[in-house]
């Protein structure tokens, strides 16, 4: 076509941009692997909730991947802009880990668990432009520990989150770290 796209092509980015005109309440995107993250960021900035999945070895690696994906949108998107926009619209990153157990009969069982939850905050003084707090971590599927809930996320109590039980069950083990 005249716009350089294959005739009849309909990308995920175009679908996201089209759906924003419909005033939807939540936008859920499957696997983000490229510049479609930029459309999701724009949707999140519009005030509607947004959520996506992506792959990374841990939560921070997933954030770094999303920064790279945003930069694929074009040369106008710098790493600083991508980090700033992501930290404005992404509150939590939930890492799901998986393992498989192979049984003597050759069958296998898949195990999946939430291995960490990380809260993001913009921090221009940090090396990568953001800081993170481990809200929850599970180094092994059977050993879960709660961390510290950042003050900015205490608003979750208004939506039914049981903060006293969280603190009672998890203690105060947490690590707040600047990005590498």
């Amino acid at each position: 076509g005249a716009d350089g796209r294959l005739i009849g092509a309909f990308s995920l980015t175009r679908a996201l941009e089209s759906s924003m005109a419909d005033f939807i309440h939540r936008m859920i995107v499957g696997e983000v692997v490229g510049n479609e993250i930029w459309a999701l960021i724009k949707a999140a900035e519009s005030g509607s909730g947004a959520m996506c999945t992506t792959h990374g070895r841990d939560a921070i690696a997933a954030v770094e991947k999303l920064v790279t994906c945003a930069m694929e949108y074009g040369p106008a998107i710098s790493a600083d802009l991508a980090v700033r926009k992501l930290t404005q619209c992404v509150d939590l990153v939930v890492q799901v880990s998986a393992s498989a157990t192979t049984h003597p009969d050759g069958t296998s069982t898949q195990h999946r668990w939430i291995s960490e939850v990380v809260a993001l905050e913009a921090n221009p003084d940090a090396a990568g432009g953001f800081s993170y707090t481990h809200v929850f971590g599970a180094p092994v599927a059977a050993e879960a520990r709660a961390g510290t809930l950042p003050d900015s996320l205490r608003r979750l109590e208004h939506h039914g989150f049981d903060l006293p039980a969280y603190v009672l069950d998890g203690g105060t083990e947490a690590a707040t770290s600047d990005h590498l």
Side-chain angles (χ1 to χ4, degrees):
D3 60 0
R5 295 183 190 161
L6 295 174
I7 294 175
F10 191 74
S11 67
L12 180 57
T13 299
R14 188 168 163 204
L16 290 170
E17 290 170 349
S18 296
S19 67
M20 284 189 281
D22 294 331
F23 302 107
I24 58 174
H25 294 289
R26 300 285 179 266
M27 186 176 293
I28 300 173
V29 177
E31 184 71 13
V32 170
V33 295
N35 65 12
E36 65 271 8
I37 188 63
W38 199 250
L40 189 68
I41 288 170
K42 289 194 303 188
E45 286 179 329
S46 71
S48 59
M51 182 170 71
C52 72
T53 62
T54 195
H55 284 86
R57 71 183 176 283
D58 56 35
I60 299 307
V63 172
E64 291 169 344
K65 178 183 176 181
L66 292 177
V67 169
T68 301
C69 289
M71 291 170 56
E72 289 176 12
Y73 196 76
I77 310 301
S78 67
D80 290 339
L81 177 61
V83 167
R84 190 174 79 240
K85 293 294 188 175
L86 278 170
T87 56
Q88 286 173 352
C89 65
V90 175
D91 295 321
L92 296 172
V93 178
V94 178
Q95 179 75 17
V96 177
S97 294
S99 68
T101 302
T102 303
H103 304 289
D105 65 358
T107 62
S108 64
T109 304
Q110 293 287 326
H111 305 279
R112 291 183 181 87
W113 65 95
I114 295 174
S115 56
E116 73 180 314
V117 177
V118 171
L120 293 180
E121 291 187 27
N123 183 351
D125 296 329
F130 68 93
S131 294
Y132 57 93
T133 301
H134 280 94
V135 175
F136 172 83
V140 191
E143 298 177 18
R145 68 182 189 283
T148 301
L149 193 66
D151 289 337
S152 62
L153 294 178
R154 292 183 184 274
R155 68 183 183 276
L156 294 174
E157 284 184 288
H158 299 300
H159 300 285
F161 183 74
D162 189 352
L163 182 60
Y166 173 80
V167 172
L168 181 65
D169 288 344
T172 58
E173 290 181 51
T176 301
S177 306
D178 284 342
H179 176 65
L180 308 172

